[in-house]
Amino acid sequence: MGIIEVGRVCIKTAGREAGKKCVVVRVIDKNFVEITGPKKLTGVRRRRVNVKHLLPLPLKIDIPEGAGDDEVLEALKTTELYKKLVKAE
Amino acid sequence: MRIIELNVRGTRRRLKKKRVAVRTPGGRVVYHYKPKRHSPARCAICKKPLNATPTGPKSFMKKLPKSKKRPNRPYGGNLCPTCFRKVILKKALKEGEALLEGDVSDVESV
């Protein structure tokens, strides 16, 4: 469904994790998706969020639906973004 | 011209509190000292009073834990939710643009 799909990298725009990046892991329905930071990397917990609270970025990583945090982390390591995130910390 | 007695016992009292002229039963007009008022925390952009931020004397504020003094989010206790959303979106969009300019290899057309 549209831009927000499994593997899409997003920025959270609401709540305590606002401004942090996350990856969509599973699409629950037209309003909700499950995301993860992963927490080790960006601090975003694995949780269900409203799509309205996400801003999609022009970057998609290759992960299966419902991927675990470790899988997501491995997939992220190949991208430019990962270096930036590590540098930021 | 009416004469108002200062009704002062110690200078600190005079400095800290608000003075109000009151006519006493004896016919004199004296100052009574009201407790200081405390202004609520306001949004730095739109100046509206913030929710979930208590106001009170410093002694009261000091006793509260940090989590009860502001919402737990970036700019919590500084910006109102509406202004906060605008600021965050602006920042996020900028980052998105930067990503487009930087690494083109794994960027898809959106």
Side-chain angles (χ1 to χ4, degrees):
Chain A
M1 43 141 270
I3 302 163
I4 296 196
E5 58 208 334
V6 174
R8 175 65 64 192
V9 179
C10 298
I11 295 183
K12 282 205 74 194
T13 58
R16 66 200 297 235
E17 290 158 347
K20 290 181 177 174
K21 292 180 193 70
C22 59
V23 181
V24 176
V25 179
R26 182 184 294 142
V27 179
I28 297 168
D29 57 40
K30 75 178 179 25
N31 289 328
F32 287 99
V33 292
E34 194 179 325
I35 58 155
T36 183
K39 199 185 170 190
K40 239 188 242 171
L41 186 63
T42 65
V44 176
R45 294 174 188 177
R46 199 184 179 87
R47 61 166 84 232
R48 190 196 67 191
V49 294
N50 195 318
V51 175
K52 281 180 187 171
H53 300 163
L54 293 177
L55 185 90
L57 288 179
L59 173 63
K60 201 186 150 191
I61 57 170
D62 195 24
I63 49 165
E65 193 176 341
D69 282 8
D70 297 334
E71 280 178 88
V72 177
L73 197 60
E74 281 302 310
L76 271 173
K77 269 178 186 168
T78 59
T79 62
E80 254 335 89
L81 184 70
Y82 180 77
K83 286 173 202 161
K84 274 189 201 168
L85 285 172
V86 171
K87 225 182 250 177
E89 279 165 18
Chain B
M1 205 190 107
R2 63 178 186 170
I3 298 161
I4 304 173
E5 292 177 33
L6 275 176
N7 194 13
V8 174
R9 284 180 237 120
T11 46
R12 286 191 74 190
R13 194 173 167 197
R14 184 167 38 167
L15 287 172
K16 271 188 164 179
K17 293 177 180 177
K18 201 195 167 193
R19 292 190 299 192
V20 188
V22 173
R23 187 178 294 274
T24 60
R28 294 185 303 150
V29 180
V30 294
Y31 275 134
H32 276 189
Y33 294 88
K34 293 266 167 143
K36 209 176 174 184
R37 279 196 169 187
H38 296 270
S39 55
R42 283 172 186 277
C43 171
I45 294 172
C46 68
K47 312 296 178 198
K48 277 180 195 156
L50 291 175
N51 289 336
T53 51
T55 53
K58 204 174 175 185
S59 57
F60 164 75
M61 295 296 282
K62 265 183 167 179
K63 278 176 195 166
L64 289 177
K66 195 174 186 182
S67 62
K68 285 193 177 158
K69 280 184 282 205
R70 84 275 179 280
N72 186 8
R73 76 169 106 82
Y75 300 103
N78 210 331
L79 295 182
C80 74
T82 340
C83 294
F84 162 73
R85 183 64 74 83
K86 282 178 198 162
V87 168
I88 280 285
L89 270 179
K90 216 183 237 177
K91 271 192 176 179
L93 285 171
K94 216 176 247 179
E95 273 189 60
E97 274 172 23
L99 209 68
L100 268 175
E101 284 164 9
D103 183 40
V104 195
S105 61
D106 35 48
V107 165
E108 285 187 353
S109 58
V110 176

